[in-house]
Each structure stands twice: as structure tokens, then as C-alpha cells.
Amino acid sequence: MERILITGALGQLGSEIAAFLRGEYGAREVVCTDIRDDPSGDRAESGPFYRFDVRDGERLAEVVRRHRIDTVYHLAALLSATAEARPTEAWDLNMGGLATVLEVARETGCAVFTPSSIGSFGPNTPKDWTPQDTLQRPTSMYGVTKVAGELLCDYYFHRFGVDTRGLRYPGLISNRTLPGGGTTDYAVDIFYEAVRHGRYTCFLKGDTYLDMMYMPDAVKAAVELMDADPGRLRHRNAFNVTAMSFCPEDLAAYIRRYIPAFEIDYHVDPVRQAIAHSWPNNMEDYAARVEWGWNPEYDLDRMTRDMLTVLSARLEDAHYVWHDAG
Ligand code: NAD
Ligand code: AKB
């Protein structure tokens, strides 16, 4: 029986993983937690929800024991742009939160899923076809915490036998919850602005290539990794996974296929541009494919069509409404 606890369950990734897992295992079996109240009521009303700081180990252990949790999806963190603006806070949360979760897992025997990121790479990492095992000297505070997190999870597996697993996610594109302060957020914002206003001002340069993934694939990757045969996992805590690589100019061109009048211009934010410049253009994800069968379903065109279909139907102020004829 799966009994799951999610930290950061109100965030961009947590809200989607929570919805999927509650559908899969039943709402009572999936405990959502976050430091905030649930503004929509989605997670708090459909199943157990607790509001507390993930660094409060006593509270976390008490909830884990009360619900006899066997797997924690640890998603509470500060993302790259916010972390760069508030580096000490990012260190405290990203490392302190993870250390707390791992200690509770060691005491209670839970498995732990922790996302790493393309942010764990740095300017000296090969930019194209970035290998699974390569140089990682990130220059952002977010990246520092992501590499340290990968290592800490490896340590808890080797030293204490905690079943830790994780993915190096690319930028995640979704339409349920807005992103929480990352460098790749433009790839979400652009769809909302395209549908509302038919134009977008991008904070990255037009030719900045980054890996990306549509949310259904991100959820699938996490769940498939946690279900994988542990005997086959050599890269437990840091699997490269990707689904597509594009730059803002490419994405604008795809949006124009469906909203021909769409326009993009650029007002570059030097902080986020520098972070993006230090990340890969595109990763290889062979280890994930071989060790647990990773295979994404959404490419750039399918993701673009789905985002535009969903948002043009859902947003009340959608002006550039596009219907999928297919
Ligand atoms: P998010 O910012 O959208 O959500 C984080 C959630 O954590 C928020 O709901 C926030 O309220 C909560 N939180 C913050 N401080 C907390 C605390 N002290 N205690 C408990 N909860 C707290 O982030 P996300 O995009 O959902 O990211 C989730 C994880 O996935 C992070 O580890 C992130 O680094 C990783 N990741 C995300 C992406 C992406 O594109 N979204 C890409 C790569 C990796
Ligand atoms: C960010 O931009 O910080 C995240 C990530 C790629 O980790 N979306």
C-alpha cells in the first residue's frame, strides 16, 4: 500500500503530483503539506493537508507516523531566480529542508523523492548533449544547493540505506499553478500572455537554449522512478531527464503556428540571463532510459498545442482563443 506525503504541495510541481497521486491511490493516502495555506482549497479540501515549515522535523515526523507514510515527495525549495535574490534563505530552506526530510526518512523508513535540476550544472559543464556524469561546478546558489542535495541523498542511501531517488528536471511547463521564481518561467508566462494579449516581453535573450519538459511528463518521470526496480538504479539521485530543448525564438515561432499575430520582444534580465547562460543547451538522458525506461510523450509541438488549448478555454480574459482542430 502506498501512503505518500508531499512537501511543497502547493507549488508548480507539487500541485500536479498531488492531483495525480490522489487520483491514483485515493485522496486519503496522499498527505499534502506546505508552509502556506491552500488558497484554492484544492489540496486542503480533497484530502489531508497540513501547514508547517518542512524544517520542523518533529512536526514532520509526527505527521509521517500518524499517516504511516512510506514515501515522501520532497518538493519544498526556493527556485533559481528567487534563490539568487535571497541566497542565505535559499541555503537554509533547500539544504535544511532536505536534511530534515532525510533524517525523518532514516528514522521512519520512508523512501524519498527529491528533484534536482539542470541548475546543478555550471558554465564549465559541456553545454551540448550534457552527459549524465560530468563536471558540476554551478555558479548560482540554487545550483550549489542542487549539487549538494544530490550528494546528500547519495550519502543517506549509502550510509543509512534510505531509499532516495531523484531527477535532474529541466524547466517545467504547466498550466495548473504558476511557476515559483525560476529562470525557465518565461516558457510558462509566454503562453498566458499569448492567449491574453497576443504578445510577450521575454526576460531571456531570444537565442537562449534550455532543456524543457511538459508537466504530464514530469509527473510521469517522478512516479515511474519511484516505482522502478531498485536493483537497476545506478544513478539514484540525479538522473538527467529531458523532453525538448528550445530558445524563446523557437517557442515564439511555434506559438505563431496557432496564433499568427503573436509577437515577442525582449527586455533581458541580466541575473536570469547569466543563470540561463551557465546551464546546458540540451542534456542527454540515456541513463534514465536504460535504468528505468524513461520516455517522454510531449515534444515542443504537442506541448504548445495543449497549453494553448487549455489556456484559451480556461482563462476568462483569453482574447486570442485558439481551438485545436485536430
Ligand atoms: P514552487 O516554488 O512552485 O513550489 C515550492 C513550494 O514549497 C511552494 O508551494 C512553497 O509555499 C513551499 N515552501 C516554501 N518554503 C517552504 C517551507 N519552509 N516549508 C514547507 N513548504 C515550503 O517550486 P516547484 O517548481 O514546484 O519546484 C519543486 C521542486 O522541483 C524544487 O525542488 C525545484 O528545485 C524542483 N525543480 C523544479 C523545476 C521547475 O521548472 N518547476 C525544475 C527543476 C527542478
Ligand atoms: C528554475 O528555473 O529555477 C527551475 C529549474 C530549471 O530548476 N525551473
Side-chain angles (χ1 to χ4, degrees), residues 22 27-28 38-49:
R22 281 186 168 176
R28 307 287 333 153
D38 180 0
S40 67
D42 274 3
R43 262 74 67 201
E45 284 160 23
S46 65
F49 178 85

Side-chain angles (χ1 to χ4, degrees), residues 232-235 239-240 284-295:
R232 291 181 59 197
L233 302 180
R234 276 204 322 114
H235 297 89
F239 282 99
N240 284 6
E284 64 91 357
D285 55 9
Y286 184 69
R289 289 172 187 265
V290 169
E291 292 178 41
W292 49 276
W294 163 240
N295 193 16

Side-chain angles (χ1 to χ4, degrees), residues 12 78-82 116-120 142 146 169-172 179-185 210-212 275 279:
Q12 188 194 5
L78 286 196
L79 273 70
S80 57
T82 314
S116 184
S117 161
I118 50 173
S120 69
Y142 180 65
K146 286 298 169 187
Y169 276 130
L172 302 181
T183 301
T184 59
D185 293 9
L210 290 167
D211 282 290
M212 299 280 177
I275 294 173
W279 291 355

Side-chain angles (χ1 to χ4, degrees), residues 213-214 216-217 243-244 296-303 306:
M213 184 181 291
Y214 198 32
D217 277 331
M244 58 192 97
E297 290 177 6
Y298 286 84
D299 61 11
L300 176 52
D301 188 46
R302 188 169 176 213
M303 177 276 292
D306 203 60

Side-chain angles (χ1 to χ4, degrees), residues 7-14 33-36 52-55 74-79 93 115-118 142 146 169-172 178-181 184:
T7 75
L10 300 181
Q12 188 194 5
L13 181 56
T33 73
D34 204 288
I35 200 167
R36 300 180 276 146
F52 61 90
D53 188 323
V54 66
R55 290 163 291 189
H74 172 48
L75 309 179
L78 286 196
L79 273 70
L93 172 58
S116 184
S117 161
I118 50 173
Y142 180 65
K146 286 298 169 187
Y169 276 130
L172 302 181
L178 288 171
T184 59

Side-chain angles (χ1 to χ4, degrees), residues 50 59-69:
Y50 296 88
R59 183 91 170 105
L60 179 62
E62 183 236 314
V63 175
V64 163
R65 288 202 170 93
R66 183 187 310 162
H67 289 270
R68 288 176 291 137
I69 297 298

